[in-house]
Amino acid sequence: VCGCPGPRVCGRCRRAAYCGPEHQALDWRGGGHRRRCGKCDAGDDSVYAIPEHNEFLFPEYEILIEPEEPESPDDSSVDPSDEQGAADASKDLKEQELGASSSETFQSLDEETLESMAKHETEEDKIFQKFKERIAAEPEQIIRYCRGEGGPVWVSGENIPEEKDIPNCLCGARRIFEFQIMPQLLNHLKVDSLGESIDWGTLVVYTCADNCGDGSKYLEEFIWKQDFSAGS
């Protein structure tokens, strides 16, 4: 029912095939096999046609791959003094709003705690802002591919792996960054229909630096999941 090879069959009708017990249970519970099981003639398989399982089958799309355009130069026609003035005004307004809305909340916190919170929030804001600026040209991108050059675009300063966190390939060679899966993909997968929705900030895939294997088989690689924040 999922498109994978189905070596196992229903123990009652011996007609419906499954890749494993999990999808058999889903088909029985919500796919309608409970109603269809054993209700067809010996030579009629039409009742066992592959159903649409919106519970666990993701929609299929074509992925279009395009090179990333270089960043555009700054617009020299803008007066720097005007730009600085607007930035200062925005900063003042933000500080006023912050002071008005949070003075009571922070009243009981000591100065050291406040300074630590402000510094952490500022660094997180910078990293996330850099992430947004990098993908702004193509906000619907679902994959960023850049094997062996540069690195991933992180959504947070937390939970970034160090070199020791990336295990070597089964052949013994180290693994290097190849591509990352962006959170925009969640919009296309329609995961909100699942009982327990899935979520991520970015999924970073590391593959063998020596590209081992002859290309005729699948090889196990390593994926690192980063959320938007440690508490999400």
Side-chain angles (χ1 to χ4, degrees), residues 102-128:
S102 59
S103 58
E104 294 182 1
T105 304
F106 291 159
Q107 192 171 14
S108 61
L109 299 178
D110 57 72
E111 184 176 346
E112 183 177 347
T113 302
L114 288 173
E115 184 176 347
S116 175
M117 291 174 60
K119 182 178 180 181
H120 174 77
E121 185 174 304
T122 301
E123 290 301 317
E124 282 296 292
D125 288 345
K126 287 181 179 178
I127 293 174
F128 187 61

mmCIF file with all atom_site columns, all heavy atoms in Angstrom, residues 102-128:
data_model
loop_
_atom_site.group_PDB
_atom_site.id
_atom_site.type_symbol
_atom_site.label_atom_id
_atom_site.label_alt_id
_atom_site.label_comp_id
_atom_site.label_asym_id
_atom_site.label_entity_id
_atom_site.label_seq_id
_atom_site.pdbx_PDB_ins_code
_atom_site.Cartn_x
_atom_site.Cartn_y
_atom_site.Cartn_z
_atom_site.occupancy
_atom_site.B_iso_or_equiv
_atom_site.pdbx_formal_charge
_atom_site.auth_seq_id
_atom_site.auth_comp_id
_atom_site.auth_asym_id
_atom_site.auth_atom_id
_atom_site.pdbx_PDB_model_num
ATOM 1   N N   . SER A 1 102 ? 7.384  44.931 29.044 1.00 0.00 ? 102 SER A N   1
ATOM 2   C CA  . SER A 1 102 ? 8.063  43.900 29.825 1.00 0.00 ? 102 SER A CA  1
ATOM 3   C C   . SER A 1 102 ? 8.670  44.397 31.125 1.00 0.00 ? 102 SER A C   1
ATOM 4   O O   . SER A 1 102 ? 9.373  43.658 31.795 1.00 0.00 ? 102 SER A O   1
ATOM 5   C CB  . SER A 1 102 ? 9.164  43.268 28.977 1.00 0.00 ? 102 SER A CB  1
ATOM 6   O OG  . SER A 1 102 ? 10.088 44.249 28.570 1.00 0.00 ? 102 SER A OG  1
ATOM 7   N N   . SER A 1 103 ? 8.416  45.648 31.499 1.00 0.00 ? 103 SER A N   1
ATOM 8   C CA  . SER A 1 103 ? 9.037  46.189 32.710 1.00 0.00 ? 103 SER A CA  1
ATOM 9   C C   . SER A 1 103 ? 8.606  45.398 33.937 1.00 0.00 ? 103 SER A C   1
ATOM 10  O O   . SER A 1 103 ? 9.412  45.107 34.824 1.00 0.00 ? 103 SER A O   1
ATOM 11  C CB  . SER A 1 103 ? 8.688  47.668 32.857 1.00 0.00 ? 103 SER A CB  1
ATOM 12  O OG  . SER A 1 103 ? 7.283  47.842 32.904 1.00 0.00 ? 103 SER A OG  1
ATOM 13  N N   . GLU A 1 104 ? 7.330  45.048 34.016 1.00 0.00 ? 104 GLU A N   1
ATOM 14  C CA  . GLU A 1 104 ? 6.839  44.306 35.163 1.00 0.00 ? 104 GLU A CA  1
ATOM 15  C C   . GLU A 1 104 ? 7.372  42.885 35.172 1.00 0.00 ? 104 GLU A C   1
ATOM 16  O O   . GLU A 1 104 ? 7.691  42.327 36.225 1.00 0.00 ? 104 GLU A O   1
ATOM 17  C CB  . GLU A 1 104 ? 5.312  44.293 35.150 1.00 0.00 ? 104 GLU A CB  1
ATOM 18  C CG  . GLU A 1 104 ? 4.697  45.664 35.350 1.00 0.00 ? 104 GLU A CG  1
ATOM 19  C CD  . GLU A 1 104 ? 3.184  45.596 35.375 1.00 0.00 ? 104 GLU A CD  1
ATOM 20  O OE1 . GLU A 1 104 ? 2.653  44.475 35.248 1.00 0.00 ? 104 GLU A OE1 1
ATOM 21  O OE2 . GLU A 1 104 ? 2.547  46.640 35.532 1.00 0.00 ? 104 GLU A OE2 1
ATOM 22  N N   . THR A 1 105 ? 7.483  42.288 33.968 1.00 0.00 ? 105 THR A N   1
ATOM 23  C CA  . THR A 1 105 ? 7.947  40.910 33.877 1.00 0.00 ? 105 THR A CA  1
ATOM 24  C C   . THR A 1 105 ? 9.380  40.775 34.364 1.00 0.00 ? 105 THR A C   1
ATOM 25  O O   . THR A 1 105 ? 9.727  39.820 35.060 1.00 0.00 ? 105 THR A O   1
ATOM 26  C CB  . THR A 1 105 ? 7.863  40.409 32.432 1.00 0.00 ? 105 THR A CB  1
ATOM 27  O OG1 . THR A 1 105 ? 6.519  40.573 31.966 1.00 0.00 ? 105 THR A OG1 1
ATOM 28  C CG2 . THR A 1 105 ? 8.256  38.947 32.329 1.00 0.00 ? 105 THR A CG2 1
ATOM 29  N N   . PHE A 1 106 ? 10.240 41.730 33.985 1.00 0.00 ? 106 PHE A N   1
ATOM 30  C CA  . PHE A 1 106 ? 11.653 41.651 34.305 1.00 0.00 ? 106 PHE A CA  1
ATOM 31  C C   . PHE A 1 106 ? 12.010 42.302 35.646 1.00 0.00 ? 106 PHE A C   1
ATOM 32  O O   . PHE A 1 106 ? 13.160 42.352 36.026 1.00 0.00 ? 106 PHE A O   1
ATOM 33  C CB  . PHE A 1 106 ? 12.478 42.333 33.206 1.00 0.00 ? 106 PHE A CB  1
ATOM 34  C CG  . PHE A 1 106 ? 12.463 41.579 31.906 1.00 0.00 ? 106 PHE A CG  1
ATOM 35  C CD1 . PHE A 1 106 ? 12.755 42.223 30.720 1.00 0.00 ? 106 PHE A CD1 1
ATOM 36  C CD2 . PHE A 1 106 ? 12.145 40.230 31.871 1.00 0.00 ? 106 PHE A CD2 1
ATOM 37  C CE1 . PHE A 1 106 ? 12.754 41.526 29.522 1.00 0.00 ? 106 PHE A CE1 1
ATOM 38  C CE2 . PHE A 1 106 ? 12.134 39.528 30.680 1.00 0.00 ? 106 PHE A CE2 1
ATOM 39  C CZ  . PHE A 1 106 ? 12.438 40.172 29.501 1.00 0.00 ? 106 PHE A CZ  1
ATOM 40  N N   . GLN A 1 107 ? 11.021 42.802 36.349 1.00 0.00 ? 107 GLN A N   1
ATOM 41  C CA  . GLN A 1 107 ? 11.295 43.548 37.562 1.00 0.00 ? 107 GLN A CA  1
ATOM 42  C C   . GLN A 1 107 ? 11.979 42.678 38.613 1.00 0.00 ? 107 GLN A C   1
ATOM 43  O O   . GLN A 1 107 ? 12.817 43.143 39.374 1.00 0.00 ? 107 GLN A O   1
ATOM 44  C CB  . GLN A 1 107 ? 9.990  44.124 38.124 1.00 0.00 ? 107 GLN A CB  1
ATOM 45  C CG  . GLN A 1 107 ? 10.227 45.158 39.211 1.00 0.00 ? 107 GLN A CG  1
ATOM 46  C CD  . GLN A 1 107 ? 8.938  45.853 39.588 1.00 0.00 ? 107 GLN A CD  1
ATOM 47  O OE1 . GLN A 1 107 ? 7.858  45.396 39.236 1.00 0.00 ? 107 GLN A OE1 1
ATOM 48  N NE2 . GLN A 1 107 ? 9.042  46.960 40.298 1.00 0.00 ? 107 GLN A NE2 1
ATOM 49  N N   . SER A 1 108 ? 11.609 41.387 38.642 1.00 0.00 ? 108 SER A N   1
ATOM 50  C CA  . SER A 1 108 ? 12.129 40.501 39.672 1.00 0.00 ? 108 SER A CA  1
ATOM 51  C C   . SER A 1 108 ? 13.440 39.821 39.272 1.00 0.00 ? 108 SER A C   1
ATOM 52  O O   . SER A 1 108 ? 14.009 39.076 40.064 1.00 0.00 ? 108 SER A O   1
ATOM 53  C CB  . SER A 1 108 ? 11.082 39.416 39.992 1.00 0.00 ? 108 SER A CB  1
ATOM 54  O OG  . SER A 1 108 ? 10.817 38.647 38.837 1.00 0.00 ? 108 SER A OG  1
ATOM 55  N N   . LEU A 1 109 ? 13.929 40.045 38.043 1.00 0.00 ? 109 LEU A N   1
ATOM 56  C CA  . LEU A 1 109 ? 15.149 39.400 37.570 1.00 0.00 ? 109 LEU A CA  1
ATOM 57  C C   . LEU A 1 109 ? 16.359 40.274 37.871 1.00 0.00 ? 109 LEU A C   1
ATOM 58  O O   . LEU A 1 109 ? 16.300 41.499 37.743 1.00 0.00 ? 109 LEU A O   1
ATOM 59  C CB  . LEU A 1 109 ? 15.067 39.136 36.072 1.00 0.00 ? 109 LEU A CB  1
ATOM 60  C CG  . LEU A 1 109 ? 13.940 38.205 35.613 1.00 0.00 ? 109 LEU A CG  1
ATOM 61  C CD1 . LEU A 1 109 ? 13.963 38.069 34.096 1.00 0.00 ? 109 LEU A CD1 1
ATOM 62  C CD2 . LEU A 1 109 ? 14.066 36.834 36.264 1.00 0.00 ? 109 LEU A CD2 1
ATOM 63  N N   . ASP A 1 110 ? 17.470 39.618 38.241 1.00 0.00 ? 110 ASP A N   1
ATOM 64  C CA  . ASP A 1 110 ? 18.664 40.388 38.544 1.00 0.00 ? 110 ASP A CA  1
ATOM 65  C C   . ASP A 1 110 ? 19.340 40.829 37.247 1.00 0.00 ? 110 ASP A C   1
ATOM 66  O O   . ASP A 1 110 ? 19.057 40.326 36.157 1.00 0.00 ? 110 ASP A O   1
ATOM 67  C CB  . ASP A 1 110 ? 19.636 39.571 39.399 1.00 0.00 ? 110 ASP A CB  1
ATOM 68  C CG  . ASP A 1 110 ? 20.020 38.260 38.738 1.00 0.00 ? 110 ASP A CG  1
ATOM 69  O OD1 . ASP A 1 110 ? 20.781 38.298 37.761 1.00 0.00 ? 110 ASP A OD1 1
ATOM 70  O OD2 . ASP A 1 110 ? 19.520 37.205 39.177 1.00 0.00 ? 110 ASP A OD2 1
ATOM 71  N N   . GLU A 1 111 ? 20.294 41.746 37.376 1.00 0.00 ? 111 GLU A N   1
ATOM 72  C CA  . GLU A 1 111 ? 20.946 42.362 36.211 1.00 0.00 ? 111 GLU A CA  1
ATOM 73  C C   . GLU A 1 111 ? 21.741 41.337 35.402 1.00 0.00 ? 111 GLU A C   1
ATOM 74  O O   . GLU A 1 111 ? 21.734 41.364 34.164 1.00 0.00 ? 111 GLU A O   1
ATOM 75  C CB  . GLU A 1 111 ? 21.863 43.483 36.681 1.00 0.00 ? 111 GLU A CB  1
ATOM 76  C CG  . GLU A 1 111 ? 22.526 44.254 35.541 1.00 0.00 ? 111 GLU A CG  1
ATOM 77  C CD  . GLU A 1 111 ? 23.354 45.406 36.057 1.00 0.00 ? 111 GLU A CD  1
ATOM 78  O OE1 . GLU A 1 111 ? 23.204 45.759 37.248 1.00 0.00 ? 111 GLU A OE1 1
ATOM 79  O OE2 . GLU A 1 111 ? 24.149 45.952 35.279 1.00 0.00 ? 111 GLU A OE2 1
ATOM 80  N N   . GLU A 1 112 ? 22.405 40.407 36.076 1.00 0.00 ? 112 GLU A N   1
ATOM 81  C CA  . GLU A 1 112 ? 23.225 39.411 35.388 1.00 0.00 ? 112 GLU A CA  1
ATOM 82  C C   . GLU A 1 112 ? 22.354 38.492 34.524 1.00 0.00 ? 112 GLU A C   1
ATOM 83  O O   . GLU A 1 112 ? 22.702 38.169 33.393 1.00 0.00 ? 112 GLU A O   1
ATOM 84  C CB  . GLU A 1 112 ? 24.006 38.585 36.407 1.00 0.00 ? 112 GLU A CB  1
ATOM 85  C CG  . GLU A 1 112 ? 24.950 37.576 35.777 1.00 0.00 ? 112 GLU A CG  1
ATOM 86  C CD  . GLU A 1 112 ? 25.758 36.816 36.814 1.00 0.00 ? 112 GLU A CD  1
ATOM 87  O OE1 . GLU A 1 112 ? 25.765 37.247 37.991 1.00 0.00 ? 112 GLU A OE1 1
ATOM 88  O OE2 . GLU A 1 112 ? 26.383 35.807 36.442 1.00 0.00 ? 112 GLU A OE2 1
ATOM 89  N N   . THR A 1 113 ? 21.199 38.107 35.064 1.00 0.00 ? 113 THR A N   1
ATOM 90  C CA  . THR A 1 113 ? 20.287 37.243 34.300 1.00 0.00 ? 113 THR A CA  1
ATOM 91  C C   . THR A 1 113 ? 19.748 37.965 33.081 1.00 0.00 ? 113 THR A C   1
ATOM 92  O O   . THR A 1 113 ? 19.670 37.404 31.985 1.00 0.00 ? 113 THR A O   1
ATOM 93  C CB  . THR A 1 113 ? 19.117 36.782 35.188 1.00 0.00 ? 113 THR A CB  1
ATOM 94  O OG1 . THR A 1 113 ? 19.638 36.091 36.327 1.00 0.00 ? 113 THR A OG1 1
ATOM 95  C CG2 . THR A 1 113 ? 18.192 35.849 34.408 1.00 0.00 ? 113 THR A CG2 1
ATOM 96  N N   . LEU A 1 114 ? 19.377 39.227 33.256 1.00 0.00 ? 114 LEU A N   1
ATOM 97  C CA  . LEU A 1 114 ? 18.863 40.013 32.141 1.00 0.00 ? 114 LEU A CA  1
ATOM 98  C C   . LEU A 1 114 ? 19.907 40.173 31.042 1.00 0.00 ? 114 LEU A C   1
ATOM 99  O O   . LEU A 1 114 ? 19.606 40.059 29.853 1.00 0.00 ? 114 LEU A O   1
ATOM 100 C CB  . LEU A 1 114 ? 18.417 41.394 32.636 1.00 0.00 ? 114 LEU A CB  1
ATOM 101 C CG  . LEU A 1 114 ? 17.142 41.447 33.473 1.00 0.00 ? 114 LEU A CG  1
ATOM 102 C CD1 . LEU A 1 114 ? 16.946 42.852 34.020 1.00 0.00 ? 114 LEU A CD1 1
ATOM 103 C CD2 . LEU A 1 114 ? 15.939 41.043 32.631 1.00 0.00 ? 114 LEU A CD2 1
ATOM 104 N N   . GLU A 1 115 ? 21.146 40.418 31.435 1.00 0.00 ? 115 GLU A N   1
ATOM 105 C CA  . GLU A 1 115 ? 22.218 40.608 30.460 1.00 0.00 ? 115 GLU A CA  1
ATOM 106 C C   . GLU A 1 115 ? 22.463 39.311 29.685 1.00 0.00 ? 115 GLU A C   1
ATOM 107 O O   . GLU A 1 115 ? 22.656 39.326 28.460 1.00 0.00 ? 115 GLU A O   1
ATOM 108 C CB  . GLU A 1 115 ? 23.500 41.043 31.165 1.00 0.00 ? 115 GLU A CB  1
ATOM 109 C CG  . GLU A 1 115 ? 24.646 41.360 30.209 1.00 0.00 ? 115 GLU A CG  1
ATOM 110 C CD  . GLU A 1 115 ? 25.866 41.884 30.932 1.00 0.00 ? 115 GLU A CD  1
ATOM 111 O OE1 . GLU A 1 115 ? 25.745 42.228 32.130 1.00 0.00 ? 115 GLU A OE1 1
ATOM 112 O OE2 . GLU A 1 115 ? 26.936 41.950 30.304 1.00 0.00 ? 115 GLU A OE2 1
ATOM 113 N N   . SER A 1 116 ? 22.434 38.188 30.397 1.00 0.00 ? 116 SER A N   1
ATOM 114 C CA  . SER A 1 116 ? 22.641 36.895 29.743 1.00 0.00 ? 116 SER A CA  1
ATOM 115 C C   . SER A 1 116 ? 21.521 36.606 28.750 1.00 0.00 ? 116 SER A C   1
ATOM 116 O O   . SER A 1 116 ? 21.760 36.143 27.634 1.00 0.00 ? 116 SER A O   1
ATOM 117 C CB  . SER A 1 116 ? 22.711 35.789 30.798 1.00 0.00 ? 116 SER A CB  1
ATOM 118 O OG  . SER A 1 116 ? 22.807 34.518 30.184 1.00 0.00 ? 116 SER A OG  1
ATOM 119 N N   . MET A 1 117 ? 20.264 36.903 29.139 1.00 0.00 ? 117 MET A N   1
ATOM 120 C CA  . MET A 1 117 ? 19.117 36.674 28.261 1.00 0.00 ? 117 MET A CA  1
ATOM 121 C C   . MET A 1 117 ? 19.203 37.561 27.029 1.00 0.00 ? 117 MET A C   1
ATOM 122 O O   . MET A 1 117 ? 18.936 37.115 25.909 1.00 0.00 ? 117 MET A O   1
ATOM 123 C CB  . MET A 1 117 ? 17.818 36.939 29.022 1.00 0.00 ? 117 MET A CB  1
ATOM 124 C CG  . MET A 1 117 ? 17.507 35.925 30.105 1.00 0.00 ? 117 MET A CG  1
ATOM 125 S SD  . MET A 1 117 ? 16.066 36.393 31.090 1.00 0.00 ? 117 MET A SD  1
ATOM 126 C CE  . MET A 1 117 ? 14.805 36.463 29.825 1.00 0.00 ? 117 MET A CE  1
ATOM 127 N N   . ALA A 1 118 ? 19.572 38.825 27.232 1.00 0.00 ? 118 ALA A N   1
ATOM 128 C CA  . ALA A 1 118 ? 19.646 39.765 26.110 1.00 0.00 ? 118 ALA A CA  1
ATOM 129 C C   . ALA A 1 118 ? 20.717 39.350 25.114 1.00 0.00 ? 118 ALA A C   1
ATOM 130 O O   . ALA A 1 118 ? 20.522 39.402 23.902 1.00 0.00 ? 118 ALA A O   1
ATOM 131 C CB  . ALA A 1 118 ? 19.908 41.177 26.628 1.00 0.00 ? 118 ALA A CB  1
ATOM 132 N N   . LYS A 1 119 ? 21.875 38.926 25.634 1.00 0.00 ? 119 LYS A N   1
ATOM 133 C CA  . LYS A 1 119 ? 22.974 38.516 24.759 1.00 0.00 ? 119 LYS A CA  1
ATOM 134 C C   . LYS A 1 119 ? 22.597 37.287 23.952 1.00 0.00 ? 119 LYS A C   1
ATOM 135 O O   . LYS A 1 119 ? 22.832 37.221 22.746 1.00 0.00 ? 119 LYS A O   1
ATOM 136 C CB  . LYS A 1 119 ? 24.223 38.235 25.589 1.00 0.00 ? 119 LYS A CB  1
ATOM 137 C CG  . LYS A 1 119 ? 25.432 37.840 24.767 1.00 0.00 ? 119 LYS A CG  1
ATOM 138 C CD  . LYS A 1 119 ? 26.657 37.625 25.643 1.00 0.00 ? 119 LYS A CD  1
ATOM 139 C CE  . LYS A 1 119 ? 27.854 37.225 24.795 1.00 0.00 ? 119 LYS A CE  1
ATOM 140 N NZ  . LYS A 1 119 ? 29.066 36.988 25.628 1.00 0.00 ? 119 LYS A NZ  1
ATOM 141 N N   . HIS A 1 120 ? 21.975 36.304 24.636 1.00 0.00 ? 120 HIS A N   1
ATOM 142 C CA  . HIS A 1 120 ? 21.571 35.067 23.945 1.00 0.00 ? 120 HIS A CA  1
ATOM 143 C C   . HIS A 1 120 ? 20.535 35.370 22.871 1.00 0.00 ? 120 HIS A C   1
ATOM 144 O O   . HIS A 1 120 ? 20.630 34.887 21.752 1.00 0.00 ? 120 HIS A O   1
ATOM 145 C CB  . HIS A 1 120 ? 21.008 34.068 24.953 1.00 0.00 ? 120 HIS A CB  1
ATOM 146 C CG  . HIS A 1 120 ? 20.429 32.842 24.337 1.00 0.00 ? 120 HIS A CG  1
ATOM 147 N ND1 . HIS A 1 120 ? 21.218 31.814 23.849 1.00 0.00 ? 120 HIS A ND1 1
ATOM 148 C CD2 . HIS A 1 120 ? 19.151 32.467 24.098 1.00 0.00 ? 120 HIS A CD2 1
ATOM 149 C CE1 . HIS A 1 120 ? 20.450 30.868 23.353 1.00 0.00 ? 120 HIS A CE1 1
ATOM 150 N NE2 . HIS A 1 120 ? 19.188 31.236 23.496 1.00 0.00 ? 120 HIS A NE2 1
ATOM 151 N N   . GLU A 1 121 ? 19.559 36.206 23.220 1.00 0.00 ? 121 GLU A N   1
ATOM 152 C CA  . GLU A 1 121 ? 18.498 36.534 22.270 1.00 0.00 ? 121 GLU A CA  1
ATOM 153 C C   . GLU A 1 121 ? 19.063 37.276 21.067 1.00 0.00 ? 121 GLU A C   1
ATOM 154 O O   . GLU A 1 121 ? 18.660 37.047 19.931 1.00 0.00 ? 121 GLU A O   1
ATOM 155 C CB  . GLU A 1 121 ? 17.427 37.366 22.976 1.00 0.00 ? 121 GLU A CB  1
ATOM 156 C CG  . GLU A 1 121 ? 16.218 37.665 22.122 1.00 0.00 ? 121 GLU A CG  1
ATOM 157 C CD  . GLU A 1 121 ? 15.129 38.353 22.902 1.00 0.00 ? 121 GLU A CD  1
ATOM 158 O OE1 . GLU A 1 121 ? 14.703 37.801 23.933 1.00 0.00 ? 121 GLU A OE1 1
ATOM 159 O OE2 . GLU A 1 121 ? 14.707 39.451 22.491 1.00 0.00 ? 121 GLU A OE2 1
ATOM 160 N N   . THR A 1 122 ? 20.030 38.156 21.315 1.00 0.00 ? 122 THR A N   1
ATOM 161 C CA  . THR A 1 122 ? 20.628 38.912 20.219 1.00 0.00 ? 122 THR A CA  1
ATOM 162 C C   . THR A 1 122 ? 21.359 37.994 19.250 1.00 0.00 ? 122 THR A C   1
ATOM 163 O O   . THR A 1 122 ? 21.222 38.112 18.033 1.00 0.00 ? 122 THR A O   1
ATOM 164 C CB  . THR A 1 122 ? 21.598 39.975 20.770 1.00 0.00 ? 122 THR A CB  1
ATOM 165 O OG1 . THR A 1 122 ? 20.880 40.860 21.631 1.00 0.00 ? 122 THR A OG1 1
ATOM 166 C CG2 . THR A 1 122 ? 22.224 40.772 19.646 1.00 0.00 ? 122 THR A CG2 1
ATOM 167 N N   . GLU A 1 123 ? 22.157 37.046 19.779 1.00 0.00 ? 123 GLU A N   1
ATOM 168 C CA  . GLU A 1 123 ? 22.896 36.127 18.928 1.00 0.00 ? 123 GLU A CA  1
ATOM 169 C C   . GLU A 1 123 ? 21.947 35.237 18.129 1.00 0.00 ? 123 GLU A C   1
ATOM 170 O O   . GLU A 1 123 ? 22.161 34.985 16.943 1.00 0.00 ? 123 GLU A O   1
ATOM 171 C CB  . GLU A 1 123 ? 23.848 35.274 19.773 1.00 0.00 ? 123 GLU A CB  1
ATOM 172 C CG  . GLU A 1 123 ? 25.017 36.035 20.357 1.00 0.00 ? 123 GLU A CG  1
ATOM 173 C CD  . GLU A 1 123 ? 25.870 36.671 19.268 1.00 0.00 ? 123 GLU A CD  1
ATOM 174 O OE1 . GLU A 1 123 ? 26.133 35.995 18.254 1.00 0.00 ? 123 GLU A OE1 1
ATOM 175 O OE2 . GLU A 1 123 ? 26.262 37.840 19.425 1.00 0.00 ? 123 GLU A OE2 1
ATOM 176 N N   . GLU A 1 124 ? 20.893 34.757 18.781 1.00 0.00 ? 124 GLU A N   1
ATOM 177 C CA  . GLU A 1 124 ? 19.919 33.917 18.088 1.00 0.00 ? 124 GLU A CA  1
ATOM 178 C C   . GLU A 1 124 ? 19.220 34.705 16.983 1.00 0.00 ? 124 GLU A C   1
ATOM 179 O O   . GLU A 1 124 ? 18.983 34.190 15.892 1.00 0.00 ? 124 GLU A O   1
ATOM 180 C CB  . GLU A 1 124 ? 18.881 33.378 19.082 1.00 0.00 ? 124 GLU A CB  1
ATOM 181 C CG  . GLU A 1 124 ? 19.360 32.220 19.915 1.00 0.00 ? 124 GLU A CG  1
ATOM 182 C CD  . GLU A 1 124 ? 19.676 31.001 19.071 1.00 0.00 ? 124 GLU A CD  1
ATOM 183 O OE1 . GLU A 1 124 ? 18.747 30.406 18.497 1.00 0.00 ? 124 GLU A OE1 1
ATOM 184 O OE2 . GLU A 1 124 ? 20.858 30.644 18.964 1.00 0.00 ? 124 GLU A OE2 1
ATOM 185 N N   . ASP A 1 125 ? 18.904 35.965 17.273 1.00 0.00 ? 125 ASP A N   1
ATOM 186 C CA  . ASP A 1 125 ? 18.258 36.812 16.272 1.00 0.00 ? 125 ASP A CA  1
ATOM 187 C C   . ASP A 1 125 ? 19.154 37.000 15.056 1.00 0.00 ? 125 ASP A C   1
ATOM 188 O O   . ASP A 1 125 ? 18.692 36.978 13.915 1.00 0.00 ? 125 ASP A O   1
ATOM 189 C CB  . ASP A 1 125 ? 17.903 38.173 16.873 1.00 0.00 ? 125 ASP A CB  1
ATOM 190 C CG  . ASP A 1 125 ? 16.740 38.092 17.856 1.00 0.00 ? 125 ASP A CG  1
ATOM 191 O OD1 . ASP A 1 125 ? 16.051 37.056 17.842 1.00 0.00 ? 125 ASP A OD1 1
ATOM 192 O OD2 . ASP A 1 125 ? 16.547 39.042 18.622 1.00 0.00 ? 125 ASP A OD2 1
ATOM 193 N N   . LYS A 1 126 ? 20.455 37.189 15.297 1.00 0.00 ? 126 LYS A N   1
ATOM 194 C CA  . LYS A 1 126 ? 21.393 37.402 14.195 1.00 0.00 ? 126 LYS A CA  1
ATOM 195 C C   . LYS A 1 126 ? 21.467 36.168 13.298 1.00 0.00 ? 126 LYS A C   1
ATOM 196 O O   . LYS A 1 126 ? 21.459 36.271 12.070 1.00 0.00 ? 126 LYS A O   1
ATOM 197 C CB  . LYS A 1 126 ? 22.781 37.737 14.746 1.00 0.00 ? 126 LYS A CB  1
ATOM 198 C CG  . LYS A 1 126 ? 22.906 39.130 15.335 1.00 0.00 ? 126 LYS A CG  1
ATOM 199 C CD  . LYS A 1 126 ? 24.328 39.362 15.830 1.00 0.00 ? 126 LYS A CD  1
ATOM 200 C CE  . LYS A 1 126 ? 24.479 40.764 16.410 1.00 0.00 ? 126 LYS A CE  1
ATOM 201 N NZ  . LYS A 1 126 ? 25.857 40.982 16.938 1.00 0.00 ? 126 LYS A NZ  1
ATOM 202 N N   . ILE A 1 127 ? 21.539 34.995 13.922 1.00 0.00 ? 127 ILE A N   1
ATOM 203 C CA  . ILE A 1 127 ? 21.667 33.754 13.150 1.00 0.00 ? 127 ILE A CA  1
ATOM 204 C C   . ILE A 1 127 ? 20.398 33.505 12.346 1.00 0.00 ? 127 ILE A C   1
ATOM 205 O O   . ILE A 1 127 ? 20.445 33.154 11.161 1.00 0.00 ? 127 ILE A O   1
ATOM 206 C CB  . ILE A 1 127 ? 21.963 32.575 14.091 1.00 0.00 ? 127 ILE A CB  1
ATOM 207 C CG1 . ILE A 1 127 ? 23.346 32.753 14.715 1.00 0.00 ? 127 ILE A CG1 1
ATOM 208 C CG2 . ILE A 1 127 ? 21.882 31.249 13.342 1.00 0.00 ? 127 ILE A CG2 1
ATOM 209 C CD1 . ILE A 1 127 ? 23.685 31.734 15.770 1.00 0.00 ? 127 ILE A CD1 1
ATOM 210 N N   . PHE A 1 128 ? 19.245 33.691 12.979 1.00 0.00 ? 128 PHE A N   1
ATOM 211 C CA  . PHE A 1 128 ? 17.995 33.449 12.270 1.00 0.00 ? 128 PHE A CA  1
ATOM 212 C C   . PHE A 1 128 ? 17.771 34.485 11.181 1.00 0.00 ? 128 PHE A C   1
ATOM 213 O O   . PHE A 1 128 ? 17.243 34.171 10.106 1.00 0.00 ? 128 PHE A O   1
ATOM 214 C CB  . PHE A 1 128 ? 16.819 33.445 13.249 1.00 0.00 ? 128 PHE A CB  1
ATOM 215 C CG  . PHE A 1 128 ? 15.513 33.035 12.610 1.00 0.00 ? 128 PHE A CG  1
ATOM 216 C CD1 . PHE A 1 128 ? 15.379 31.778 12.045 1.00 0.00 ? 128 PHE A CD1 1
ATOM 217 C CD2 . PHE A 1 128 ? 14.440 33.902 12.565 1.00 0.00 ? 128 PHE A CD2 1
ATOM 218 C CE1 . PHE A 1 128 ? 14.190 31.393 11.451 1.00 0.00 ? 128 PHE A CE1 1
ATOM 219 C CE2 . PHE A 1 128 ? 13.256 33.535 11.977 1.00 0.00 ? 128 PHE A CE2 1
ATOM 220 C CZ  . PHE A 1 128 ? 13.127 32.274 11.417 1.00 0.00 ? 128 PHE A CZ  1
#
